[in-house]
Amino acid sequence: MDYAKKGDWVRIHSIVLTPDQRAAQVPEDTKRVPLEMWTKGFLIADEAKIGDTVTVETYIGRKASGNLIEINPYFEHDFGKCIPELLYIGRQLRGILEGGERIE
Amino acid sequence: MNNDISYDAVMARKKDIMKQAVGIDYDEFETGGIAFDYERMMRETGYSLQEMQEIQRETGVGNTPILELKNLTKLARQLAPKGKGARIFIKDEASNPSGSFKARRAAISVYHAKKLGYKGVIAATSGNYGAGVASQAAMRGLKCIIVQECYDSRGIGQPEIIEKARKCEALGAEVAQLSVGPELFYTFLRMLEDTGYFNASLYTPFGIAGVETLGYEIAMQFREREGRDPDVVVATNAGGGNLTGTARGLIKAGALNTQIVGASVNLKGLHMASDKQFNRKSFTTGHTGFGIPFATWPDRSDVPRSAGRPLRYLDRYVTVNQGEVFYITEALAQIEGIERGPAGNTSLAAAFSIAQELDQDKIVLVQETEYTGAGKHIQPQLTFARENGIQIIIGNPEEEIPGENIILPEHPGLIKAKDIDLNKLRKSYIKNCIDITNVTSFTNEDVKFLAEDSKSNTEFVIDTLKELGIRV
């Protein structure tokens, strides 16, 4: 679905400051890139497609503008992948607590 | 609303915007170039401890349980010299409605905003405080905006920060996510100006005093349970509010002999405002990147005078490494049956080490935990680290290089809290006062203030000023 219609929950992106507008104290690598902002809201226009500049009404009713980048945005973070390096910890600790080891 | 929204124009309006958004005239408490009347500010702009307890009770904040960590204590005793190994306790702040002690700070700020008639609140935070403000705002029927630093220029963000955004949204807040940079403050000011909402800053007297109930509860709960105060309270230190509030609450309870220890994760060498280094740190809070700059210059915050002044209260300040905190987080789950987020366990890693220095009849309390879950768990955090080229090694934590590797201690006996020289921090704070305020001569009042603010004495301050070539 590349088109959003009025009232759809969407994610927008905007440039807050271009590299030349950034604060003087910012480190070099940060100064080379713009300050960007992402926010979400309900589409106000009747229809818009990904990449269009749109205005949305945020969840609390504020207006915000930016480029439409996602329709019905969702979170993808999770519990990560298996980290085999962690697996010794519980076993090691139980071993020590069960009396296997005494360090003085 | 003013139309000039250029960076410089908005920053130049900072003072007016803040006055409007906080409702405190900070000028009233200024007494000199450097000195200001901290205690009067806390007294006159805030609430009494009893009032705060009532405000927090209304929204289910506080009165969190204290849990004794018997297995970690047993482990510490097996590793410690004979007769050593203090009892380790934890104050389970994850039991607050938003999942961390930050609900305490938010409770007072949001209550105050409502009382003054503001329609909404805004907070600039990537951390648990956002969830606290969003939760309290929902309960009190105010609108809420959270502004967070979230992504690097590739659009990649730490799972922990993204989880906190999710939580804020789940609690009905609008979340504005920004890329790396201190100009978050500029965006924050524009939103305050645009909405007329209350600045629920972490550093107002409300934000700090709200934590006093935590320190007070600790003393009261221990007196009831053990008949005495804890010997050592370890607080994770970032912006300083957690430590300041806890210490003030303990003092208000009369627990004057309890030693206050701050603990931060050592992130030496990583620049906080660097786009490239942003995602090379595996701790988003509770680290030295906040802990040291805020301790040595508390007024760098988003209000004219910060109410969080950790140096005033610190008896000792230690660092632990990232791998040690991840290890202790896993240990807490595996042998104590309590799964909590890593950031809150910074102080637990330090406490585990400190307990081994103390006699067995002593008590060490870790004063906070935080909720965990997807994103905010050691597994996604280590997955993220690995995907960003950080090596994960099992070995000696002493060899950890922040931003390059994370070293999980191959044995719990290798977990060692490292002391930071407090006198160095005190001197650095005094030097910052001079550099930033451009004051060239000092009054007796300034000297007295600096002595209080750095928990030293007038002799120490005068000697430091002389070393810096300042006339007193």
Side-chain angles (χ1 to χ4, degrees), chain B residues 186-217:
Chain B
Y186 155 84
T187 313
F188 178 65
L189 287 172
R190 277 188 61 190
M191 284 190 179
L192 285 173
E193 204 173 35
D194 182 30
T195 59
Y197 288 178
F198 181 77
N199 172 15
S201 160
L202 278 159
Y203 304 103
T204 61
F206 322 111
I208 305 301
V211 194
E212 289 177 6
T213 58
L214 174 53
Y216 191 80
E217 273 171 37

Side-chain angles (χ1 to χ4, degrees), chain A residues 24-52:
Chain A
Q25 74 273 25
V26 167
E28 276 311 310
D29 64 334
T30 309
K31 210 174 281 180
R32 275 197 291 272
V33 295
L35 180 70
E36 302 169 82
M37 181 158 73
W38 293 260
T39 189
K40 294 171 188 169
F42 301 103
L43 185 69
I44 288 174
D46 288 334
E47 196 180 76
K49 63 177 188 302
I50 300 288
D52 285 354

Side-chain angles (χ1 to χ4, degrees), chain B residues 89-112:
Chain B
F89 290 77
I90 205 162
K91 179 92 167 135
D92 196 15
E93 287 293 293
S95 313
N96 281 305
S98 64
S100 81
F101 85 95
K102 292 277 174 63
R104 293 180 190 264
R105 299 171 86 155
I108 310 302
S109 286
V110 174
Y111 172 87
H112 190 71

